Amino acid sequence: LEHSLSVVDVLVWGAATVALQFASYFAVALTHREFGQAIIGGNVAAALFLAACHIAAGLLVAAAVSA
C-alpha cells in the first residue's frame, strides 16, 4: 500500500484484502462445519481456535500487502 499511486489503488488493495479475509473465513467454515454449533453450545476452545485462524489470516494478508 505504501507504493500505491492513487485512491483507486488503495481501494483495489482494500477490496483484495477483504476478499482474502472472507476466503479464509469460508475455508475454515468448510473444513470445520461443527464449530458453529460448538460455539453456540459454549465451547470456548472452538471459539479460540476460530479466532486464532482469523487473526493469523489477517496477519498474513497484512504482511503480504505491506511487503
Side-chain angles (χ1 to χ4, degrees), residues 33-46:
R33 292 183 186 266
E34 71 281 353
F35 276 6
Q37 291 299 321
I39 292 170
I40 291 171
N43 189 339
V44 176

mmCIF file with all atom_site columns, all heavy atoms in Angstrom, residues 33-46:
data_model
loop_
_atom_site.group_PDB
_atom_site.id
_atom_site.type_symbol
_atom_site.label_atom_id
_atom_site.label_alt_id
_atom_site.label_comp_id
_atom_site.label_asym_id
_atom_site.label_entity_id
_atom_site.label_seq_id
_atom_site.pdbx_PDB_ins_code
_atom_site.Cartn_x
_atom_site.Cartn_y
_atom_site.Cartn_z
_atom_site.occupancy
_atom_site.B_iso_or_equiv
_atom_site.pdbx_formal_charge
_atom_site.auth_seq_id
_atom_site.auth_comp_id
_atom_site.auth_asym_id
_atom_site.auth_atom_id
_atom_site.pdbx_PDB_model_num
ATOM 1  N N   . ARG A 1 33 ? -17.124 -27.649 9.990  1.00 0.00 ? 33 ARG A N   1
ATOM 2  C CA  . ARG A 1 33 ? -18.545 -27.315 9.978  1.00 0.00 ? 33 ARG A CA  1
ATOM 3  C C   . ARG A 1 33 ? -19.192 -27.351 11.359 1.00 0.00 ? 33 ARG A C   1
ATOM 4  O O   . ARG A 1 33 ? -20.136 -26.627 11.621 1.00 0.00 ? 33 ARG A O   1
ATOM 5  C CB  . ARG A 1 33 ? -19.298 -28.246 9.047  1.00 0.00 ? 33 ARG A CB  1
ATOM 6  C CG  . ARG A 1 33 ? -18.950 -28.054 7.601  1.00 0.00 ? 33 ARG A CG  1
ATOM 7  C CD  . ARG A 1 33 ? -19.803 -28.959 6.733  1.00 0.00 ? 33 ARG A CD  1
ATOM 8  N NE  . ARG A 1 33 ? -19.405 -28.897 5.355  1.00 0.00 ? 33 ARG A NE  1
ATOM 9  C CZ  . ARG A 1 33 ? -19.967 -28.087 4.477  1.00 0.00 ? 33 ARG A CZ  1
ATOM 10 N NH1 . ARG A 1 33 ? -20.933 -27.296 4.837  1.00 0.00 ? 33 ARG A NH1 1
ATOM 11 N NH2 . ARG A 1 33 ? -19.543 -28.080 3.230  1.00 0.00 ? 33 ARG A NH2 1
ATOM 12 N N   . GLU A 1 34 ? -18.703 -28.192 12.240 1.00 0.00 ? 34 GLU A N   1
ATOM 13 C CA  . GLU A 1 34 ? -19.334 -28.360 13.548 1.00 0.00 ? 34 GLU A CA  1
ATOM 14 C C   . GLU A 1 34 ? -18.979 -27.253 14.546 1.00 0.00 ? 34 GLU A C   1
ATOM 15 O O   . GLU A 1 34 ? -19.551 -27.187 15.619 1.00 0.00 ? 34 GLU A O   1
ATOM 16 C CB  . GLU A 1 34 ? -18.958 -29.723 14.132 1.00 0.00 ? 34 GLU A CB  1
ATOM 17 C CG  . GLU A 1 34 ? -17.514 -29.852 14.580 1.00 0.00 ? 34 GLU A CG  1
ATOM 18 C CD  . GLU A 1 34 ? -16.505 -30.098 13.458 1.00 0.00 ? 34 GLU A CD  1
ATOM 19 O OE1 . GLU A 1 34 ? -16.902 -30.309 12.298 1.00 0.00 ? 34 GLU A OE1 1
ATOM 20 O OE2 . GLU A 1 34 ? -15.301 -30.071 13.763 1.00 0.00 ? 34 GLU A OE2 1
ATOM 21 N N   . PHE A 1 35 ? -18.071 -26.374 14.191 1.00 0.00 ? 35 PHE A N   1
ATOM 22 C CA  . PHE A 1 35 ? -17.641 -25.352 15.140 1.00 0.00 ? 35 PHE A CA  1
ATOM 23 C C   . PHE A 1 35 ? -18.736 -24.339 15.469 1.00 0.00 ? 35 PHE A C   1
ATOM 24 O O   . PHE A 1 35 ? -18.772 -23.820 16.573 1.00 0.00 ? 35 PHE A O   1
ATOM 25 C CB  . PHE A 1 35 ? -16.403 -24.625 14.635 1.00 0.00 ? 35 PHE A CB  1
ATOM 26 C CG  . PHE A 1 35 ? -15.115 -25.347 14.961 1.00 0.00 ? 35 PHE A CG  1
ATOM 27 C CD1 . PHE A 1 35 ? -15.114 -26.595 15.539 1.00 0.00 ? 35 PHE A CD1 1
ATOM 28 C CD2 . PHE A 1 35 ? -13.913 -24.758 14.674 1.00 0.00 ? 35 PHE A CD2 1
ATOM 29 C CE1 . PHE A 1 35 ? -13.938 -27.255 15.827 1.00 0.00 ? 35 PHE A CE1 1
ATOM 30 C CE2 . PHE A 1 35 ? -12.727 -25.405 14.960 1.00 0.00 ? 35 PHE A CE2 1
ATOM 31 C CZ  . PHE A 1 35 ? -12.745 -26.652 15.544 1.00 0.00 ? 35 PHE A CZ  1
ATOM 32 N N   . GLY A 1 36 ? -19.596 -24.031 14.536 1.00 0.00 ? 36 GLY A N   1
ATOM 33 C CA  . GLY A 1 36 ? -20.673 -23.082 14.813 1.00 0.00 ? 36 GLY A CA  1
ATOM 34 C C   . GLY A 1 36 ? -21.561 -23.559 15.949 1.00 0.00 ? 36 GLY A C   1
ATOM 35 O O   . GLY A 1 36 ? -21.857 -22.809 16.884 1.00 0.00 ? 36 GLY A O   1
ATOM 36 N N   . GLN A 1 37 ? -21.959 -24.816 15.892 1.00 0.00 ? 37 GLN A N   1
ATOM 37 C CA  . GLN A 1 37 ? -22.790 -25.378 16.956 1.00 0.00 ? 37 GLN A CA  1
ATOM 38 C C   . GLN A 1 37 ? -22.003 -25.520 18.253 1.00 0.00 ? 37 GLN A C   1
ATOM 39 O O   . GLN A 1 37 ? -22.552 -25.350 19.341 1.00 0.00 ? 37 GLN A O   1
ATOM 40 C CB  . GLN A 1 37 ? -23.365 -26.733 16.532 1.00 0.00 ? 37 GLN A CB  1
ATOM 41 C CG  . GLN A 1 37 ? -24.394 -26.625 15.439 1.00 0.00 ? 37 GLN A CG  1
ATOM 42 C CD  . GLN A 1 37 ? -25.587 -25.779 15.883 1.00 0.00 ? 37 GLN A CD  1
ATOM 43 O OE1 . GLN A 1 37 ? -26.040 -25.846 17.013 1.00 0.00 ? 37 GLN A OE1 1
ATOM 44 N NE2 . GLN A 1 37 ? -26.073 -24.956 14.964 1.00 0.00 ? 37 GLN A NE2 1
ATOM 45 N N   . ALA A 1 38 ? -20.721 -25.829 18.149 1.00 0.00 ? 38 ALA A N   1
ATOM 46 C CA  . ALA A 1 38 ? -19.898 -25.953 19.354 1.00 0.00 ? 38 ALA A CA  1
ATOM 47 C C   . ALA A 1 38 ? -19.782 -24.614 20.067 1.00 0.00 ? 38 ALA A C   1
ATOM 48 O O   . ALA A 1 38 ? -19.850 -24.546 21.297 1.00 0.00 ? 38 ALA A O   1
ATOM 49 C CB  . ALA A 1 38 ? -18.516 -26.490 18.993 1.00 0.00 ? 38 ALA A CB  1
ATOM 50 N N   . ILE A 1 39 ? -19.636 -23.550 19.311 1.00 0.00 ? 39 ILE A N   1
ATOM 51 C CA  . ILE A 1 39 ? -19.527 -22.219 19.913 1.00 0.00 ? 39 ILE A CA  1
ATOM 52 C C   . ILE A 1 39 ? -20.855 -21.829 20.550 1.00 0.00 ? 39 ILE A C   1
ATOM 53 O O   . ILE A 1 39 ? -20.884 -21.291 21.665 1.00 0.00 ? 39 ILE A O   1
ATOM 54 C CB  . ILE A 1 39 ? -19.065 -21.184 18.875 1.00 0.00 ? 39 ILE A CB  1
ATOM 55 C CG1 . ILE A 1 39 ? -17.624 -21.474 18.472 1.00 0.00 ? 39 ILE A CG1 1
ATOM 56 C CG2 . ILE A 1 39 ? -19.196 -19.767 19.414 1.00 0.00 ? 39 ILE A CG2 1
ATOM 57 C CD1 . ILE A 1 39 ? -17.150 -20.677 17.292 1.00 0.00 ? 39 ILE A CD1 1
ATOM 58 N N   . ILE A 1 40 ? -21.948 -22.112 19.857 1.00 0.00 ? 40 ILE A N   1
ATOM 59 C CA  . ILE A 1 40 ? -23.261 -21.826 20.431 1.00 0.00 ? 40 ILE A CA  1
ATOM 60 C C   . ILE A 1 40 ? -23.456 -22.617 21.716 1.00 0.00 ? 40 ILE A C   1
ATOM 61 O O   . ILE A 1 40 ? -24.043 -22.124 22.686 1.00 0.00 ? 40 ILE A O   1
ATOM 62 C CB  . ILE A 1 40 ? -24.376 -22.135 19.404 1.00 0.00 ? 40 ILE A CB  1
ATOM 63 C CG1 . ILE A 1 40 ? -24.308 -21.128 18.261 1.00 0.00 ? 40 ILE A CG1 1
ATOM 64 C CG2 . ILE A 1 40 ? -25.752 -22.116 20.055 1.00 0.00 ? 40 ILE A CG2 1
ATOM 65 C CD1 . ILE A 1 40 ? -25.203 -21.467 17.094 1.00 0.00 ? 40 ILE A CD1 1
ATOM 66 N N   . GLY A 1 41 ? -22.916 -23.832 21.750 1.00 0.00 ? 41 GLY A N   1
ATOM 67 C CA  . GLY A 1 41 ? -23.018 -24.668 22.942 1.00 0.00 ? 41 GLY A CA  1
ATOM 68 C C   . GLY A 1 41 ? -22.076 -24.263 24.059 1.00 0.00 ? 41 GLY A C   1
ATOM 69 O O   . GLY A 1 41 ? -22.076 -24.869 25.124 1.00 0.00 ? 41 GLY A O   1
ATOM 70 N N   . GLY A 1 42 ? -21.253 -23.259 23.838 1.00 0.00 ? 42 GLY A N   1
ATOM 71 C CA  . GLY A 1 42 ? -20.376 -22.756 24.894 1.00 0.00 ? 42 GLY A CA  1
ATOM 72 C C   . GLY A 1 42 ? -18.970 -23.316 24.877 1.00 0.00 ? 42 GLY A C   1
ATOM 73 O O   . GLY A 1 42 ? -18.236 -23.180 25.857 1.00 0.00 ? 42 GLY A O   1
ATOM 74 N N   . ASN A 1 43 ? -18.549 -23.938 23.801 1.00 0.00 ? 43 ASN A N   1
ATOM 75 C CA  . ASN A 1 43 ? -17.207 -24.493 23.697 1.00 0.00 ? 43 ASN A CA  1
ATOM 76 C C   . ASN A 1 43 ? -16.213 -23.363 23.418 1.00 0.00 ? 43 ASN A C   1
ATOM 77 O O   . ASN A 1 43 ? -16.108 -22.865 22.303 1.00 0.00 ? 43 ASN A O   1
ATOM 78 C CB  . ASN A 1 43 ? -17.162 -25.546 22.597 1.00 0.00 ? 43 ASN A CB  1
ATOM 79 C CG  . ASN A 1 43 ? -15.863 -26.311 22.569 1.00 0.00 ? 43 ASN A CG  1
ATOM 80 O OD1 . ASN A 1 43 ? -14.851 -25.848 23.074 1.00 0.00 ? 43 ASN A OD1 1
ATOM 81 N ND2 . ASN A 1 43 ? -15.892 -27.479 21.971 1.00 0.00 ? 43 ASN A ND2 1
ATOM 82 N N   . VAL A 1 44 ? -15.481 -23.000 24.452 1.00 0.00 ? 44 VAL A N   1
ATOM 83 C CA  . VAL A 1 44 ? -14.544 -21.879 24.335 1.00 0.00 ? 44 VAL A CA  1
ATOM 84 C C   . VAL A 1 44 ? -13.348 -22.244 23.469 1.00 0.00 ? 44 VAL A C   1
ATOM 85 O O   . VAL A 1 44 ? -12.819 -21.406 22.735 1.00 0.00 ? 44 VAL A O   1
ATOM 86 C CB  . VAL A 1 44 ? -14.089 -21.414 25.743 1.00 0.00 ? 44 VAL A CB  1
ATOM 87 C CG1 . VAL A 1 44 ? -13.052 -20.321 25.653 1.00 0.00 ? 44 VAL A CG1 1
ATOM 88 C CG2 . VAL A 1 44 ? -15.288 -20.952 26.542 1.00 0.00 ? 44 VAL A CG2 1
ATOM 89 N N   . ALA A 1 45 ? -12.931 -23.492 23.507 1.00 0.00 ? 45 ALA A N   1
ATOM 90 C CA  . ALA A 1 45 ? -11.779 -23.914 22.710 1.00 0.00 ? 45 ALA A CA  1
ATOM 91 C C   . ALA A 1 45 ? -12.049 -23.746 21.215 1.00 0.00 ? 45 ALA A C   1
ATOM 92 O O   . ALA A 1 45 ? -11.177 -23.306 20.467 1.00 0.00 ? 45 ALA A O   1
ATOM 93 C CB  . ALA A 1 45 ? -11.426 -25.360 23.021 1.00 0.00 ? 45 ALA A CB  1
ATOM 94 N N   . ALA A 1 46 ? -13.257 -24.081 20.786 1.00 0.00 ? 46 ALA A N   1
ATOM 95 C CA  . ALA A 1 46 ? -13.611 -23.916 19.375 1.00 0.00 ? 46 ALA A CA  1
ATOM 96 C C   . ALA A 1 46 ? -13.598 -22.444 18.989 1.00 0.00 ? 46 ALA A C   1
ATOM 97 O O   . ALA A 1 46 ? -13.107 -22.072 17.922 1.00 0.00 ? 46 ALA A O   1
ATOM 98 C CB  . ALA A 1 46 ? -14.983 -24.526 19.096 1.00 0.00 ? 46 ALA A CB  1
#
